[in-house]
Amino acid sequence: FHCFIPPELLPDVGTLPSNVKLIDLNTDITSKENQCGLAKLFTRVTDQRQTLETPLDKLIPTLSSQIIYYPYILVEYKPAFGHIFADYLTSYSHWGYSDIDVVFGDMTRWIDTDEWNDYDIVTYGFGDQDKLYLRGQFTFHK
């Protein structure tokens, strides 16, 4: 698990399991007031046409304020996380996202082998399995 959060917000970092990595994206921000390190990463989903209309030096502070003051906006980016965080995913076979209230255990006990191997995207939801869309509760990509 990669946690993109300033490490000082978590208690006793030394007690975290070995599969939990803390990544502080604010380390290269000179003025941390109204700035969010995620904003720079999220500009990866913009295309050249958009940066011509709004240069990155203006887009990053705007996106920062959206993330800081309206953090729920992050759910709109979930399907793009594979592209946004690509540099952090190179050594993994799968990546995914879930709601914050999902508790994971031994995932091999409830995810079938064919789901891991035969499908590019697997998504779980409750009560709407007949619908065709990605669910935020838990989705993983190959």
Side-chain angles (χ1 to χ4, degrees):
F1 290 90
H2 290 271
C3 297
F4 296 91
I5 185 169
E8 67 270 8
L9 295 179
L10 293 178
D12 197 6
V13 177
T15 62
L16 292 173
S18 61
N19 67 332
V20 175
K21 309 280 187 252
L22 298 180
I23 301 164
D24 184 359
L25 296 175
N26 292 331
T27 55
D28 63 346
I29 295 177
T30 54
S31 167
K32 292 192 183 213
E33 187 175 326
N34 293 329
Q35 292 262 341
C36 174
L38 281 175
K40 187 174 182 181
L41 271 180
F42 277 44
T43 60
R44 293 181 77 160
V45 295
T46 61
D47 62 22
Q48 289 181 333
R49 294 171 295 177
Q50 185 171 355
T51 57
L52 291 175
E53 293 174 21
T54 307
L56 287 180
D57 62 331
K58 292 185 180 173
L59 185 60
I60 291 172
T62 301
L63 190 51
S64 285
S65 65
Q66 292 291 313
I67 292 170
I68 291 167
Y69 297 113
Y70 308 103
Y72 196 76
I73 195 172
L74 295 174
V75 302
E76 302 297 334
Y77 287 90
K78 282 182 177 181
F81 282 177
H83 180 68
I84 293 169
F85 298 107
D87 295 342
Y88 298 95
L89 301 173
T90 57
S91 61
Y92 299 95
S93 63
H94 293 75
W95 66 272
Y97 52 83
S98 70
D99 284 346
I100 197 165
D101 61 352
V102 174
V103 177
F104 294 98
D106 182 359
M107 295 195 323
T108 59
R109 293 185 70 190
W110 56 276
I111 298 176
D112 294 332
T113 304
D114 67 322
E115 291 175 317
W116 285 116
N117 298 325
D118 299 339
Y119 298 98
D120 291 328
I121 301 173
V122 176
T123 188
Y124 294 94
F126 303 99
D128 63 353
Q129 288 80 357
D130 59 326
K131 306 294 184 209
L132 182 61
Y133 58 86
L134 299 179
R135 289 149 184 92
Q137 293 100 334
F138 179 57
T139 297
F140 68 89
H141 300 250
K142 194 172 191 181

